[in-house]
């Protein structure tokens, strides 16, 4: 039996494994960016719903949701669109925030949609 020479095996392993490790690294960062975008969209939806619940002005709530989404961070949630609707005859509001997550590779970003809903606050004086 003849012993074989192991010269060059490390180079071949490096060529095979480094691209796989880089792919896993980029996938991990991309998943993190999508999760961060989801949290940013949810925070903007909650803020818009809070303003609509407290004051009842849907236009002001949409403006506040857009401003909040823009102030969260550059590139976290791009192209945020905020829509606030009154439901159940004005007793409930629903805020929907839609935007794009930051993507390392442009085709991997994905569309994000988050919804926050709650009852409109009504003051009832003592009787």
């Amino acid at each position: 039996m003849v012993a074989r020479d192991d010269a060059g095996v490390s180079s071949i392993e490096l060529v095979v494994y480094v691209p796989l490790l880089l792919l896993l690294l980029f996938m991990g960062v991309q998943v993190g960016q999508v999760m961060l975008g989801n949290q940013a969209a949810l925070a903007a939806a909650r803020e818009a719903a809070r303003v609509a619940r407290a004051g009842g002005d849907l236009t002001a709530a949409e403006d506040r949701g857009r401003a909040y989404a823009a102030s969260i961070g550059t590139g976290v949630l791009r192209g945020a669109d905020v829509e606030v609707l009154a439901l159940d005859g004005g007793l409930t509001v629903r805020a929907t925030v839609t935007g794009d997550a930051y993507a390392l590779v442009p085709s991997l970003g994905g569309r994000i949609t988050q919804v926050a809903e709650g009852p409109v606050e009504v003051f009832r004086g003592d009787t």
Side-chain angles (χ1 to χ4, degrees), residues 13-123:
E13 289 175 351
L14 184 69
V15 167
V16 171
Y17 292 130
V18 166
L20 293 174
L21 289 173
L22 288 175
L23 178 67
L24 287 174
L25 177 70
F26 280 122
M27 286 175 53
V29 170
Q30 184 62 51
V31 166
Q33 289 294 332
V34 170
M35 290 176 66
L36 184 61
N38 269 322
Q39 290 300 313
L42 183 58
R46 285 181 178 171
E47 180 66 14
R50 184 192 65 79
V51 170
R53 289 178 60 211
D57 186 7
L58 303 183
T59 304
E62 288 179 354
D63 292 340
R64 178 65 186 140
R66 282 188 200 94
Y68 195 83
S71 71
I72 287 176
T74 306
V76 173
L77 183 65
R78 295 177 298 143
D81 182 36
V82 180
E83 180 183 23
V84 179
L85 300 172
L87 306 172
D88 298 331
L91 298 175
T92 305
V93 293
R94 176 183 295 154
T96 305
V97 176
T98 306
D100 294 316
Y102 178 76
L104 295 173
V105 178
S107 62
L108 294 179
R111 196 85 171 137
I112 294 173
T113 301
Q114 289 291 331
V115 177
E117 187 174 318
V120 173
E121 297 175 8
V122 178
F123 175 74

